Each structure stands twice: as structure tokens, then as C-alpha cells.
Amino acid sequence: MDLDPFFEERLRVHRKHLFNKALGSVRSRLSALWPFAKGPAAMTGMGGGATPASAAPPQDAVAAASSEPEPALGPHARARARHRQAALAWDRRELHKVGLAGPRIRTTEHVVAVPGHPDVRVRVYHPDPDDPPAQGVPGVLSFFGGAFRIGGIGYPTTDAANRRRVHDAGVAIAAVDYALAPEHPYPVAIEQAHAALEWLFESAGELGIDPRRIGVAGTSAGANLAAAVTLVNRDRGGRPLRLQVLEVPVVDLTGGHLDLRATRALGIPRFIALRELRSVARTYLADPRHGREPYASPLLADSHGGLPPAVILTAEYDPLRGDGEAYGAALRRAGVDASVVRYQGVTHDTPIFSGALPAARRWHDDVVAALRRLHG
């Protein structure tokens, strides 16, 4: 199916961003090898940060973020900080231009201790129904996307999506503000995710959540963490998880299941697509060999038996569609109830465009329908 016209201008901007980023990297390497080389390298030394798949941050957002006072950090850390500020500005603009704001929802903030690793913040969105069940409402542990290196529970589109899903599905969402790479590489986020899951079960009563009806959910890198935490949970004790909802998941950090036909159809050369996608794994993994570990790449686990039922959503113009489809097949081979739906004509970050794109609104409705399975 042809790409939805909504993405045409965004794709043009994104292609330009990727080419400039690749060219900047080449210039940077040449400058290091030959000190007389001229020309600034665009977006070099980032070490982290991938713009959302359909567009780069607007140039005025980058300029505004770059003009703010910088902390006394090294050049790589300063570049990452600027990129994250620009990504946050981009996200704020997208919610205003093409997103949908979330309804007023009661939230509570919590800090969960993680043995041997930094504490993690968890924000719980409460549905507060007029007639709450005595046993509590279903609960979902949720993980945001952002290539393991940008994003957070305070990003406007993430916060709005959580609010809308809580309101429409009648579930409580516990959003995990896991630590970002490369400052905190694998397995820090995994350990934080598992600690948050344990905390959610132990605190369910005081949170008004039914511990018999808890699931996990995540988007992109967050879907990697959601899938991984189901494996950790199974291996370390087995809390009764009821569901996993994985949106555009990356579940094989070796790149073995990337479907580059998607990027080729967008006019993005193979070498640029691979460079961008592999940079995600390099940022997250301190040692590339970790990419074959099941908690880093859930698709590569020896067994997928005993995992909760899964609903997996992929996008036609997203190279990660191969990961999602392969993971659904692996779960089904292990006897797990798993469905995979590919949305035609859309890209990786479709869900944030709910104010302008019918497919994004359908995506939201389908996620809500999946979450409502926890009521059964």
C-alpha cells in the first residue's frame, strides 16, 4: 500500500536529516584523520538519540535548545543533552500540531529502589471510575519508546497517550521512567523494569489495582523492555502476568530480523538505514556480544513458553516490522496466544499523530481494546 500522504513532507525532512547525519559523521572522521579537513560535522558525537522515524526535530527547536546554558560536561555529554532538549521540543510541537491532548487523570508519583542500580521513578495514572470494583482495577506496567536514549514519562505525547488509554480502557497505567543509555547501558533498564514490576504487584492493594489482572506494555525500545521483563519475571519467580501489548517492538538487537524493504520503499539507502538502526544497539549495549542475550533480544530466548498472551502492532513502512512478526511467530510456536497486526501505509511513530491521522486513532482504539482484555 502507498505511504499515507500525511507522511510525505515528514519523510522528506527525515531523509534530509539522515543524509546530513551520515555526511556529518564522515566529515568528523576525516577531521580526526586529517586535521586540515574543513567543515563542521552535523550531529556528531551524539552517542545517543534517534529522532522519531517520520521527521527530524525542527531546526528552530534545535537552535532554541542549543542556546540554553550547558552544564560542565564533556563534548559527547553536551551533545546528548542538546539532542534530548531538541527531541523534547519536537515532541511538544507534535502534540500541539498533530496530536491529541489527554484528559485530566489523577496521577501519583513513586520512587522504586533497584538493588545495585539507580532508583527508578514510576508515575501511576488512575482511572478513578465512579464505581470502582472492590478488588481494584486492572493495571499495566508501561515503557516509553525512544531508542533507549531519548524519551521519558514526561514527554508530552507519551503523557497524553497514557491519559487517553487510562480513560478509555479503564485501567491504571504505571509508567516507568527508566534510565537512558549510554549513561546507563544494558542491563540497567531491565533491572529497573523488573524492580518496578515487583513493586507494582507488592503495592497493588494501596494503588487500587487488582494483582490478578496486571499486564505490561511498551513502544519500540519500550516494547523491548516489556518483552524482556516477561522473560525475567518467568525466570525469577513468575508473577501472574495476564497480557503483553507490544507496539512496533525491537526484539532482536543483532539486527537479524530487520526488514529493510520498508526503508527502501521510503527512498532511504540501505547503508544509511543500517547505520541508524545499528547505532541504537551500540548505544544501549556496552558490549555488542550482549545483543545475543535473551534479556537484550527477547526474540533470541531459548524458550518463549510460559509467557503471557501478546498483542503486537507493527507498521508497513517500518523496518522493525520484521522483529514484531518474528516475535509473534516465536510466541505462537511456544503455545502462547499471540496476534500480530500490520498497519498499512504508515510509519514507526504513527500513534503520536492521533489529531491528524485516522490510522493513528484506529491504532489507539486497538490498543484500548487489547488493554480492556484485562477486565475479563
Side-chain angles (χ1 to χ4, degrees), residues 165-354:
R165 291 173 178 189
V166 166
H167 179 270
D168 293 351
V171 301
I173 287 182
V176 182
D177 203 27
Y178 60 87
L180 300 176
E183 298 91 336
H184 301 283
Y186 168 88
V188 174
I190 298 293
E191 295 299 335
Q192 290 180 327
H194 182 249
L197 180 67
E198 289 291 310
W199 169 84
L200 185 61
F201 273 96
E202 292 166 1
S203 306
E206 61 190 79
L207 294 170
I209 292 173
D210 183 354
R212 299 168 301 175
R213 296 184 291 169
I214 288 179
V216 298
T219 300
S220 192
N224 173 288
L225 298 179
V229 84
T230 67
L231 291 168
V232 178
N233 175 66
R234 180 197 64 185
D235 296 345
R236 294 186 186 177
R239 298 283 191 171
L241 285 174
R242 290 275 303 276
L243 178 70
Q244 53 180 321
V245 180
L246 310 178
E247 301 173 63
V248 290
V250 50
V251 285
D252 179 3
L253 292 180
T254 70
H257 289 81
L258 292 174
D259 189 343
L260 293 178
R261 292 173 297 178
T263 50
R264 186 165 63 246
L266 296 176
I268 298 173
R270 177 185 177 87
F271 81 95
I272 289 181
L274 281 174
R275 177 186 179 279
E276 188 70 14
L277 293 163
R278 286 171 177 167
S279 73
V280 173
R282 286 197 301 269
T283 301
Y284 180 52
L285 304 174
D287 184 336
R289 291 173 295 184
H290 292 162
R292 300 206 64 82
E293 296 181 5
Y295 296 164
S297 297
L299 179 55
L300 304 185
D302 290 336
S303 170
H304 296 93
L307 298 180
V311 175
I312 301 171
L313 288 71
T314 71
E316 180 181 9
Y317 289 93
D318 178 13
L320 293 179
R321 70 190 189 187
D323 279 43
E325 290 163 8
Y327 197 57
L331 291 171
R332 289 192 294 272
R333 285 195 299 269
V336 177
D337 178 3
S339 66
V340 182
V341 177
R342 181 193 291 186
Y343 286 75
Q344 301 298 311
V346 298
T347 64
H348 181 79
D349 51 352
T350 292
I352 71 173
F353 305 124
S354 295

Side-chain angles (χ1 to χ4, degrees), residues 99-176:
L100 284 178
R104 289 186 178 274
I105 293 289
R106 181 173 69 91
T107 64
T108 55
E109 301 283 335
H110 310 267
V111 175
V112 177
V114 185
H117 299 283
D119 296 348
V120 65
R121 183 166 66 110
V122 179
R123 176 180 297 163
V124 180
Y125 297 80
H126 301 268
D128 286 339
D130 294 333
D131 186 21
Q135 72 273 24
V137 298
V140 179
L141 193 71
S142 179
F143 303 93
F144 61 87
F148 302 105
R149 53 196 184 189
I150 61 172
I153 62 176
Y155 269 54
T157 60
T158 298
D159 178 70
N162 285 334
R163 291 173 182 274
R164 294 173 59 228
R165 291 173 178 189
V166 166
H167 179 270
D168 293 351
V171 301
I173 287 182
V176 182

